[in-house]
Amino acid sequence: MPHTQIQTARCAALVGPYLSGKTSLLESLLSAAGATTRKGSVRDGNAVGDSSPEAKARQMSVEVNVASFEFLGERWSVLDCPGSVELACETQSALMVADVAVIVAEAVPEKAVLLAPLFKFLDDNRIPHLLFINKVDSLGDLRVRDVVQAYQAVSARKLVLREVPIREGGKITGFVDLVSERAWHFNPHKPSNLVQIPDSLKDREHEARQEMLEAVADYDDALLEKLLEDVAPDTQEVYDRLASELADDLIVPVFFGSAENDNGIRRLLKALRHEGPDVATSAERAGIPADATVAAQVFKTLNGSHAGKISLARVWRGTVNDGMTLGGERVSGVFRMMGHNQEKLSQAAAGEVVALGRLDKAATGDLLTDKGNAGRAALWPELPPPVFGLALHAQNRNDEVKLTAAIQKLVEEDPSLRLDQSTDTGELVLWGQGDIHLQIAMDRLRNKFNVSVKGVPPQVPYRESIRKGTAHHARYKRQTGGHGQFADIHVEVKPLPRGTGFQFEDGIVGGVVPRQFIPAVETGVRDYAVRGPLGFPVVDFAVKLTGGQFHAVDSSEMAFKTVARQAMTEALPACEPVLLEPILTVSIAVPSDFTSKVQRLVSGRRGQILGYDARPGWQGWDEVKAYLPQAEMHDLIVELRSLSLGVGTFTWSFERLQELTGKAADKAVEIRKETLAAQ
């Protein structure tokens, strides 16, 4: 077909579930374009992508990998994105700067649900995307159209089959392009051979082509009129409409092949070349200001142990020169990426994906222009809420000082990580999207920053309270030569309604305790309440100071603070201490087929189901709302994903404190005693 060569570089993102073959597809694309002399593989650990120690150890993508090549005179950047749902934030950031996304999916209808969140994100952000059904050599007797039908159930946009398979001996050996109506025979690891359309396939090809044209005509009245009048549209007109509707995210073209055997790869490349939108179209979709002469957007931040900070960015407009001021900072190096290898450039033109050196103030999502740093783009995706946490402890005590700084650099690289210093337990808790996510983070701490850590489940912030009140008299007297220490108080202790907190009341009459010592009594009570009879902070109780005595010489603030702690130590065990556990409100989102399993999951974790309803904006999904003890939350995401094919998720918020008794309470108290003894 005729093609007007696009002068600006373009960018495609490879996305899809774990094990769908994205990195293998990247290797095939690079090989087909002549960008590499030898095709690498994930299995052998020599792929252009997945070159980090963390990726090689797991044989999976753990971060966005950038590669660049030229194909038929046009420059392309490809972003190979992680497939793990735990690393979705990384993928979403890359998608925001891509012209087009290639969804890589296995030819397994049962796995269609895995694509639902991805299709939803692409459609919500109007990102053009096409579907590449990989591994069709293992399709067996299953028809491609059946696979497409299964994936259509999770896509709001119409999936438009662009080719039909040629089968020989029960295997797919080629395809017929439905626009050009030409057939090719697969030639593994080499370009496909042009062949005649088999006679047995002509009826199916005609039927499929008509379905494709009708799908395209849904958005083109002129084309629809031709079809109604049985007028065959011009081939170029069909190509133009396909390109236009892809750019507007109206349809999803579907191709198939085998990245492992390089089948269908060149057809995919040509589809991207002819139909993928250019950078100007994508910049308008991304809301890039038209008044910026030079504009680049950071989609990934890297902190090297020696190289310093590197910002991966898409150049939207103008030319970025080495040494220029961009985003209010001087660019110290412009690099074209090929995996972890860098090619130094003097400049990068619009459309290119490059690494920019030492922009210390730039963060992921920031739009950098010649006028300054505009900050995170308004259309940038929201960060996902944390669902899994680990308390981190440096294995070498000498590393504790640099641990926090190293984690902050990881959070800068991956904003879906979050570091909290727990005010309840004092622990340093790293939050993320799952166990794999945090294990990767800990490996990076060791590999990049030479800080070895161990992660353990965070302590549950239990509280304790009292069930009944009491009155108590306490006296503190000590004579050590010279001035001694003397304080005497009478207090009344009583429980308060749940959620009230702590109240202190001054009930002194007649000055039996001087005014200047009363605040010390309250301070002493508060100091004790940090660790009550069960070992946890005490809440929801009141203390009233009703009487006491003092000595003109020996009494002091310290003495009254001490006697207050002594009074609480003696009084609270008699007030029937009770353990309180935090209860959370949890909203669990899953495809409707898994709703009943989620209800059983909640019940098995001492949860209380509040009800469920359709998830707003998600066809075929439910939201189950429940109360769950925080003690049951640590590995909830692990089990939830296990029962929902990896796509289930949840949000949570604190609801209340609730009494806990029996074996669960005894176990919590025992663990607390062991923890305090070890400190």
Side-chain angles (χ1 to χ4, degrees):
M1 62 175 271
H3 172 72
T4 302
Q5 190 166 27
I6 294 178
Q7 300 300 317
T8 53
R10 286 185 285 175
C11 175
L14 305 183
V15 296
Y18 171 58
L19 293 179
S20 60
K22 297 178 298 299
T23 301
S24 296
L25 178 57
L26 173 63
E27 292 295 322
S28 292
L29 292 171
L30 294 174
S31 178
T36 54
T37 56
R38 181 178 180 275
K39 182 181 175 182
S41 74
V42 177
R43 189 183 305 109
D44 297 335
N46 58 359
V48 170
D50 297 354
S51 57
S52 70
E54 300 80 34
K56 288 183 177 180
R58 295 168 174 81
Q59 292 195 340
M60 62 176 276
S61 298
V62 299
E63 60 188 345
V64 173
N65 293 292
V66 183
S68 182
F69 61 84
E70 281 195 10
F71 181 65
L72 299 179
E74 296 179 358
R75 168 66 60 181
W76 281 88
S77 294
V78 177
L79 310 179
D80 178 23
C81 302
S84 171
V85 67
E86 299 184 21
L87 306 174
C89 183
E90 188 99 358
T91 296
Q92 292 175 0
S93 295
L95 285 169
M96 297 304 292
V97 301
D99 297 315
V100 60
V102 179
I103 302 176
V104 186
E106 295 181 82
V108 182
E110 293 77 14
K111 293 186 177 182
V113 68
L114 298 177
L115 293 183
L118 187 53
F119 274 122
K120 182 75 164 54
F121 179 83
L122 291 166
D123 289 335
D124 286 349
N125 292 280
R126 298 173 36 244
I127 299 171
H129 52 287
L130 53 83
L131 176 64
F132 181 77
I133 301 175
N134 194 21
K135 306 180 184 180
V136 293
D137 40 3
S138 61
L139 195 60
D141 295 332
L142 190 64
R143 300 182 304 178
V144 170
R145 74 185 87 169
D146 294 331
V147 178
V148 174
Q149 185 177 2
Y151 285 127
Q152 183 64 75
V154 295
S155 171
R157 301 294 186 265
K158 178 68 176 177
L159 302 186
V160 179
L161 193 61
R162 289 289 307 280
E163 50 195 19
V164 293
I166 298 174
R167 286 181 180 266
E168 295 175 354
K171 292 185 178 181
I172 294 178
T173 58
F175 66 92
V176 179
D177 183 85
L178 295 177
V179 181
S180 66
E181 295 190 281
R182 294 192 293 176
W184 279 267
H185 191 278
F186 289 146
N187 192 10
H189 309 298
K190 295 179 182 178
S192 298
N193 301 322
L194 184 63
V195 296
Q196 294 293 322
I197 299 178
D199 292 338
S200 60
L201 195 59
K202 288 182 178 179
D203 289 343
R204 169 58 188 150
E205 185 274 335
H206 178 75
E207 175 192 1
R209 188 174 196 273
Q210 193 65 22
E211 291 174 357
M212 177 195 70
L213 293 175
E214 290 173 359
V216 175
D218 284 342
Y219 307 97
D220 187 329
D221 292 341
L223 180 57
L224 178 60
E225 186 175 343
K226 287 184 179 181
L227 295 181
L228 292 175
E229 296 175 356
D230 289 329
V231 176
D234 178 75
T235 300
Q236 183 59 43
E237 179 185 2
V238 177
Y239 276 123
D240 290 343
R241 291 310 308 162
L242 285 166
S244 174
E245 293 178 13
L246 171 63
D248 292 337
D249 187 34
L250 298 175
I251 61 170
V252 182
V254 180
F255 300 86
F256 57 81
S258 169
E260 188 73 23
N261 295 313
D262 300 323
N263 292 333
I265 304 305
R266 286 168 179 81
R267 180 69 196 92
L268 176 62
L269 264 175
K270 290 181 179 179
L272 290 171
R273 178 175 183 261
H274 291 296
E275 299 163 41
D278 62 9
V279 65
T281 303
S282 301
E284 183 179 356
R285 167 177 54 81
I288 307 303
D291 60 348
T293 305
V294 181
Q297 191 163 31
V298 178
F299 66 91
K300 173 69 178 175
T301 302
L302 299 171
N303 286 296
S305 53
H306 302 294
K309 183 175 177 178
I310 295 291
S311 301
L312 298 183
R314 178 86 191 278
V315 182
W316 288 118
R317 288 200 177 92
T319 300
V320 176
N321 297 297
D322 188 7
M324 76 177 293
T325 298
L326 185 68
E329 297 183 273
R330 183 179 180 275
V331 177
S332 299
V334 179
F335 307 92
R336 180 177 292 149
M337 304 295 291
M338 181 64 85
H340 277 210
N341 295 323
Q342 301 176 354
E343 175 191 354
K344 188 169 177 57
L345 305 174
S346 60
Q347 62 182 29
E352 289 235 47
V353 171
V354 290
L356 305 177
R358 299 186 182 279
L359 300 178
D360 293 334
K361 297 179 182 178
T364 298
D366 282 358
L367 180 64
L368 312 178
T369 72
D370 50 332
K371 299 180 180 181
N373 187 335
R376 177 169 289 187
L379 299 179
W380 204 256
E382 293 290 328
L383 294 176
V387 294
F388 188 85
L390 287 175
L392 301 187
H393 305 276
Q395 293 186 343
N396 184 341
R397 287 198 171 185
N398 295 329
D399 289 338
E400 290 180 354
V401 175
K402 59 181 181 180
L403 175 59
T404 301
I407 295 177
Q408 292 291 0
K409 289 185 177 181
L410 285 188
V411 173
E412 187 177 34
E413 291 186 351
D414 181 358
S416 63
L417 292 170
R418 193 182 79 189
L419 180 64
D420 284 343
Q421 181 81 49
S422 174
T423 56
D424 297 314
T425 64
E427 293 178 308
L428 196 65
V429 181
L430 185 64
W431 290 94
Q433 299 305 302
D435 183 50
I436 294 175
H437 190 201
L438 297 194
Q439 293 299 328
I440 291 171
M442 291 191 290
D443 285 353
R444 283 178 177 154
L445 283 173
R446 182 181 65 253
N447 296 330
K448 294 181 70 171
F449 304 106
N450 197 30
V451 178
S452 294
V453 298
K454 61 179 179 179
V456 298
Q459 297 178 38
V460 177
Y462 291 106
R463 295 288 187 268
E464 59 179 279
S465 191
I466 55 176
R467 285 177 170 159
K468 70 175 186 179
T470 189
H472 191 75
H473 170 229
R475 171 173 289 195
Y476 174 65
K477 183 177 181 181
R478 178 170 295 181
Q479 194 69 39
T480 57
H483 289 306
Q485 295 289 328
F486 178 84
D488 184 291
I489 59 172
H490 292 264
V491 293
E492 293 178 356
V493 183
K494 66 177 182 179
L496 293 176
R498 198 67 62 232
T500 306
F502 167 68
Q503 293 178 0
F504 179 81
E505 183 180 351
D506 173 13
I508 294 299
V509 178
V512 292
V513 176
R515 282 272 167 250
Q516 68 267 28
F517 296 145
I518 293 175
V521 175
E522 180 178 356
T523 300
V525 173
R526 289 185 180 275
D527 287 349
Y528 171 82
V530 172
R531 187 182 299 173
L534 304 180
F536 298 96
V538 187
V539 296
D540 301 337
F541 75 110
V543 174
K544 182 178 181 180
L545 178 62
T546 58
Q549 298 180 48
F550 75 101
H551 189 278
V553 176
D554 292 345
S555 290
S556 65
E557 289 186 4
M558 181 59 69
F560 275 93
K561 186 186 297 185
T562 301
V563 78
R565 289 197 298 265
Q566 177 183 321
M568 293 300 100
T569 302
E570 296 167 353
L572 256 64
C575 294
E576 295 186 10
V578 61
L579 190 65
L580 304 177
E581 70 170 340
I583 303 297
L584 309 181
T585 299
V586 183
S587 181
I588 302 174
V590 290
S592 303
D593 290 345
F594 305 112
T595 301
S596 60
K597 292 183 178 180
V598 167
Q599 291 173 330
R600 290 194 292 272
L601 171 65
V602 170
S603 299
R605 289 175 176 254
R606 299 191 289 123
Q608 176 188 350
I609 296 173
L610 302 177
Y612 71 93
D613 204 346
R615 187 183 188 187
W618 289 71
Q619 184 176 355
W621 283 58
D622 285 337
E623 269 188 346
V624 179
K625 294 188 180 297
Y627 290 145
L628 267 172
Q630 188 169 338
E632 302 287 344
M633 291 291 293
H634 173 65
D635 61 347
L636 175 66
I637 191 63
V638 178
E639 189 172 354
L640 175 61
R641 285 178 177 150
S642 176
L643 64 82
S644 64
L645 294 181
V647 296
T649 188
F650 65 83
T651 58
W652 58 272
S653 61
F654 175 78
E655 172 64 25
R656 66 180 185 275
L657 291 171
Q658 180 173 287
E659 287 190 16
L660 179 65
T661 58
K663 292 183 178 179
D666 295 341
K667 183 178 179 180
V669 172
E670 185 63 30
I671 292 175
R672 179 66 170 173
K673 289 180 179 178
E674 294 174 357
T675 301
L676 294 175
Q679 291 179 351

